[in-house]
Amino acid sequence: MVSAVQLIRSGSLSSVAEYAYAATAPAEARLVFLAGSCPLDAEGRTVAVGDHAGQAAACVANLRQALADAGATLTDVVSTRVLVASSDQADLIAAWEVVRDAFGSHDVPSTLLGVTVLGYDDQLVEIEAVAAVVD
C-alpha cells in the first residue's frame, strides 16, 4: 500500500536536519492522532530503565502497535514529537537515532525536545505522532 503522506524537502533550508521539513496528506485522508507512545510493557511497567536508546526502541515498538491497531504503519505518519527527559544533548541524540533509524527513508517532520520529567516512574522517552490514512 502506498502512503498518502507526501514529505516535502526544502532546498532553501539546511540539509543538516535528518528529517523532511514538512509533510502533507490529501483532504480525503483519515487522520490518526496518537497518544504519546511510552516505554511500557504489557503489564504497564517501564522498560529499559536508565537507557534512553532502549526506551526509544520500546516507544517505537508501542507506536507501531498503536498505528497497526488504527490501520496504519510508520509510513503513514505525518509528523512526530520526541520527548526526552534529560538536559544532556547526548541523551537526546541517543533517543533520536533510534527513532530516525526506525523511520528510515520516511523521515517525517519531527521535533526533538529535552524535558524535565515524563509521566511514568523511570520514564525517559515518549514519542507523539500524527498519521494519515486513505482507506
Side-chain angles (χ1 to χ4, degrees):
M1 175 189 279
V2 175
S3 174
V5 177
Q6 179 183 356
L7 300 179
I8 300 165
R9 289 163 176 74
S10 174
S12 303
L13 297 171
S14 171
S15 62
V16 172
E18 298 177 318
Y19 45 81
Y21 277 100
T24 63
E28 67 272 13
R30 174 174 52 91
L31 296 179
V32 181
F33 297 90
L34 293 112
S37 176
C38 299
L40 302 177
D41 66 14
E43 287 75 41
R45 294 180 301 242
T46 303
V47 301
V49 172
D51 179 2
H52 291 87
Q55 286 199 5
C59 289
V60 168
N62 288 340
L63 177 64
R64 285 181 193 270
Q65 185 59 58
L67 286 163
D69 292 345
T73 68
L74 286 180
T75 59
D76 296 313
V77 172
V78 177
S79 66
T80 67
R81 182 176 298 124
V82 181
L83 308 168
V84 182
S86 179
S87 61
D88 186 342
Q89 189 178 34
D91 295 334
L92 276 70
I93 291 169
W96 170 250
E97 288 175 343
V98 172
V99 175
R100 178 201 61 210
D101 291 350
F103 277 86
S105 64
H106 188 70
D107 54 347
V108 298
S110 297
T111 300
L112 176 63
L113 298 168
V115 299
T116 304
V117 65
L118 291 167
Y120 292 100
D121 290 341
D122 301 312
Q123 182 183 1
L124 300 172
V125 179
E126 188 163 335
I127 304 169
E128 297 176 11
V130 176
V133 179
V134 176
D135 294 318

